[in-house]
Amino acid sequence: DVVMTQTPLSSPVTLGQPASISCRSSQSLVHSDGNTYLSWLQQRPGQPPRLLIYKISNRFSGVPDRFSGSGAGTDFTLKISRVEAEDVGVYYCMQATQAYTFGQGTKLEVK
Amino acid sequence: QVHLVESGGGVVQPGRSLRLACAASGFTFTDSGMHWVRQAPGKGLEWVAVISYDGSKKYYADSVTGRFTISRDNSNNTLFLQMNSLRAEDTAVYYCAKSDTDGFGVDYWGQGTLVTVSS
């Protein structure tokens, strides 16, 4: 099974400042079709998850451009250029290259 | 606008069964694979099962294989999860989610339905 490891597990940030979350997979996420099926999800308190980024760096419909994704192979990063109050919640990476697994989640909270 | 509404959750005793449903609208259901993902109280996300657009392919997490069955009714745009031999560790919010256009990830999620397994 592919294990997804996120760091940090908690990230206190100041509003208006950047934030970054890392996700590492135990195996390469490059699929035989050449794509890398690594997504980032946001879960606000009391809400279901919401897709932010798919295939490493593609923003989903309606997602603000302050969110960006990068990486390759086994190492991936979600960046928020300037954190807003509505960004508070838990962020998960998810791989869909080999079955489906999620990272443990990173809690983004305001200092 | 994609809309996924789960139902069927509740309190059930260990060893008993429960059937969840997910009513889908706002997209062509017959073109899309569908997933069930669960989240135990205060915990992270755990993928449970996926079914192909036509129901011909089904895959399960090891933790539910042999106990849970995913199915769909394409004439009524509804996804199901039959859960048998329930255990305390199956207690969670169960979300249905739509496969994305690539057929690998998930894009839209429902609000979830809570299943509590307790005597």
Side-chain angles (χ1 to χ4, degrees):
Chain A
D1 290 5
V2 178
V3 177
M4 306 296 287
T5 303
Q6 288 183 228
T7 54
L9 296 183
S10 179
S11 180
V13 296
T14 302
L15 293 179
Q17 293 300 301
S20 179
I21 300 170
S22 294
C23 176
R24 178 167 290 179
S25 58
S26 59
Q27 304 173 32
S28 172
L29 297 185
V30 180
H31 192 272
S32 56
D33 66 8
N35 289 305
T36 300
Y37 295 104
L38 186 282
S39 301
W40 288 96
L41 307 168
Q42 175 196 60
Q43 188 173 32
R44 291 169 172 153
Q47 295 294 312
R50 165 198 178 201
L51 177 64
L52 295 177
I53 303 284
Y54 63 97
K55 287 195 288 188
I56 302 178
S57 59
N58 297 275
R59 269 190 304 277
F60 190 55
S61 174
V63 175
D65 60 7
R66 64 179 181 275
F67 290 94
S68 64
S70 62
T74 61
D75 288 283
F76 306 94
T77 302
L78 174 71
K79 291 183 179 177
I80 309 174
S81 59
R82 294 172 305 280
V83 172
E84 298 188 5
E86 66 178 17
D87 299 336
V88 166
V90 180
Y91 291 78
Y92 296 92
C93 59
M94 171 190 169
Q95 71 82 19
T97 293
Q98 191 180 127
Y100 306 88
T101 45
F102 295 91
Q104 321 97 299
T106 295
K107 188 173 185 179
L108 189 75
E109 48 197 0
V110 176
K111 280 183 184 175
Chain B
Q1 174 183 357
V2 174
H3 207 43
L4 300 168
V5 180
E6 302 92 338
S7 60
V11 180
V12 61
Q13 292 179 328
R16 303 297 290 264
S17 299
L18 205 60
R19 189 192 199 202
L20 306 183
C22 171
S25 60
F27 65 101
T28 305
F29 186 70
T30 52
D31 285 349
S32 184
M34 296 293 295
H35 299 256
W36 287 100
V37 177
R38 68 184 180 183
Q39 186 171 35
K43 303 296 185 182
L45 300 169
E46 180 188 14
W47 175 78
V48 173
V50 62
I51 187 168
S52 61
Y53 69 98
D54 61 356
S56 63
K57 298 177 183 176
K58 305 174 184 180
Y59 301 99
Y60 300 91
D62 290 344
S63 58
V64 306
T65 295
R67 300 188 300 122
F68 290 13
T69 302
I70 189 171
S71 62
R72 63 192 297 159
D73 178 354
N74 280 354
S75 60
N76 287 299
N77 288 1
T78 305
L79 174 73
F80 299 101
L81 185 67
Q82 177 67 42
M83 304 185 294
N84 298 333
S85 303
L86 282 161
R87 307 166 180 167
E89 54 265 35
D90 296 318
T91 294
V93 173
Y94 285 74
Y95 297 102
C96 74
K98 172 185 163 297
S99 287
D100 64 18
T101 51
D102 284 320
F104 283 87
V106 296
D107 50 16
Y108 292 95
W109 297 67
Q111 290 293 316
T113 187
L114 176 62
V115 172
T116 302
V117 184
S118 173
S119 54

